[in-house]
Amino acid sequence: FTMRQQEIVESFEEMLSPSSKAAAEAMSSKPTPPYLLAQTSKVAELLKRCWEDEVFVDTLADRFARLAMQLLSRYATWVTDSLRDRSTSPSSSSTPSDTSTSSAAANALWTTPDGLVKVLADVERMRSSAKDESAAGILGEAVRAMAPLGDAAAVAIRSALHDIADDRMEKIAVRIRELLVTPLATKCCGMLKQLRGITATYRMTNKPAPERASHYVPSVLAPLRTFVTETAIPAKLTEAAKATLVAEVAGQVTDSFTDTASELLSHVKKTESSLQLLKSRKDSKSGGGAGGGGAGGGGVTDTEKICQQLVLDATEFGRQLSSLGISLD
């Protein structure tokens, strides 16, 4: 067992070491489907090997179980540490060109949307496999190997793998989604600055009441739409993972839209109250009684026009969300 453990662990550690030849080769090697990274393919291969008949020994089942947990935990630690150190510059100057190239590729893996999506896709698939009891899943292989030892052994390995999948792997997936969602949401929310211009459009301009949404609305979700439909990046994700990513970006943008519109309405109402108060004082002094608030004798007031425009904009924004598969229920 000690020899098998050393062989398995050392081969995996070498691949994870940034400066190793194995790591450099991993960055340019083709991973085994369904994984997108050679490192993930490697840990899946080694986990499967732990339970192969020519390797697994019943009397040492507890040790093989610990080895499997060690491999999966080490993979999670590698991803976590790499995400934490993602801003670190790749090694420079004196390194050979091939090492520099692999180092730059490794840096890109953790700093670009394409790289982060690959990591997210692999983490999600590894997490799913760790809970998959079919013959193709990591858990399925483990349960099959443990079966001769009784139900208690199968329950123990199932519980251990579920803990890693639902705790560490899920936290990693959440962190990667944050790194992808934040810049996308920021780009989308930048377009909402134009929403504040609605007040200037209608306040004391005698412009007619609006009939259609503002021109900026279709542009709000354009960065997300481009990411989803015009790049090859999301194709690397499962449909569920892609839907979660889109929903999180849309949620942040919707919150920003709601907050901005609410602030605008609050400001408009305060302005309207102030104008009405000033007009009332003016009318009381002059003895006049004409209508106010920009309505021009009882028509639609400026405030009503602004509110109508917000309704039209919100309705169009909802249609844009629906076109991206977001439920409005």
Side-chain angles (χ1 to χ4, degrees):
F1 171 81
T2 302
M3 291 176 62
R4 291 292 191 189
Q5 180 186 40
Q6 184 175 356
E7 175 189 347
I8 290 172
V9 172
E10 286 184 355
S11 65
F12 190 44
E13 286 293 339
E14 185 180 5
M15 177 170 278
L16 299 186
S17 175
S19 59
S20 71
K21 182 179 179 181
E25 292 174 349
M27 295 310 302
S28 58
S29 64
K30 188 174 182 180
T32 304
Y35 300 110
L36 302 176
L37 303 177
Q39 292 88 343
T40 317
S41 297
K42 185 66 173 180
V43 72
E45 172 194 326
L46 294 176
L47 284 166
K48 183 177 181 179
R49 190 174 180 191
C50 287
W51 311 112
E52 290 177 347
D53 293 337
E54 61 269 24
V55 175
F56 182 73
V57 180
D58 292 357
T59 55
L60 298 176
D62 59 329
R63 294 191 181 184
F64 279 98
R66 281 196 296 271
L67 175 57
M69 297 305 104
Q70 179 185 352
L71 287 170
L72 202 53
S73 293
R74 180 66 185 92
Y75 174 77
T77 298
W78 171 68
V79 177
T80 300
D81 290 349
S82 297
L83 288 171
R84 182 195 62 208
D85 301 334
R86 62 194 294 269
S87 60
T88 304
S89 301
S91 332
S92 60
S93 63
S94 59
T95 56
S97 59
D98 60 339
T99 305
S100 298
T101 301
S102 64
S103 183
N107 192 58
L109 179 64
W110 306 103
T111 58
T112 64
D114 184 67
L116 288 170
V117 164
K118 287 181 180 179
V119 179
L120 177 59
D122 273 15
V123 168
E124 292 280 18
R125 289 187 175 95
M126 182 61 69
R127 178 173 177 267
S128 177
S129 185
K131 300 171 67 174
D132 182 4
E133 295 201 34
S134 72
I138 294 171
L139 179 55
E141 290 276 352
V143 170
R144 179 195 62 78
M146 291 286 200
L149 303 177
D151 292 341
V155 169
I157 193 67
R158 184 181 293 111
S159 176
L161 284 171
H162 272 255
D163 284 347
I164 293 178
D166 290 335
D167 184 17
R168 297 196 65 185
M169 292 291 189
E170 175 58 20
K171 288 179 180 177
I172 290 170
V174 168
R175 174 56 181 152
I176 299 172
R177 282 198 297 270
E178 287 176 355
L179 294 172
L180 288 165
V181 165
T182 300
L184 271 175
T186 299
K187 287 181 181 179
C188 292
C189 292
M191 299 301 300
L192 293 176
K193 294 177 181 178
Q194 297 183 53
L195 188 153
R196 298 186 178 93
I198 293 175
T199 301
T201 301
Y202 293 103
R203 181 66 72 194
M204 297 182 178
T205 62
N206 289 323
K207 188 171 182 178
E211 297 180 351
R212 61 180 63 87
S214 302
H215 69 278
Y216 76 87
V217 180
S219 301
V220 174
L221 294 173
L224 177 58
R225 188 182 305 280
T226 298
F227 178 81
V228 172
T229 63
E230 297 181 20
T231 70
I233 295 174
K236 300 178 175 69
L237 297 172
T238 63
E239 286 302 315
K242 182 169 69 174
T244 299
L245 190 65
V246 171
E248 289 185 6
V249 175
Q252 288 192 23
V253 180
T254 300
D255 288 344
S256 183
F257 184 98
T258 303
D259 291 344
T260 305
S262 297
E263 290 174 8
L264 178 65
L265 279 174
S266 177
H267 178 73
V268 166
K269 288 179 180 179
K270 289 178 181 178
T271 302
E272 180 74 6
S273 296
S274 297
L275 289 173
Q276 290 288 358
L277 181 59
L278 289 171
K279 181 169 178 44
S280 296
R281 290 175 178 174
K282 181 179 179 181
D283 289 344
S284 65
K285 290 179 180 179
S286 64
V300 180
T301 67
D302 294 343
T303 297
E304 289 170 340
K305 292 175 185 177
I306 293 169
C307 290
Q308 289 175 13
Q309 187 66 72
L310 284 174
V311 170
L312 290 169
D313 289 0
T315 302
E316 176 60 26
F317 181 68
R319 281 196 288 266
Q320 297 292 325
L321 287 172
S322 296
S323 70
L324 286 169
I326 303 297
S327 173
L328 303 181
D329 296 336

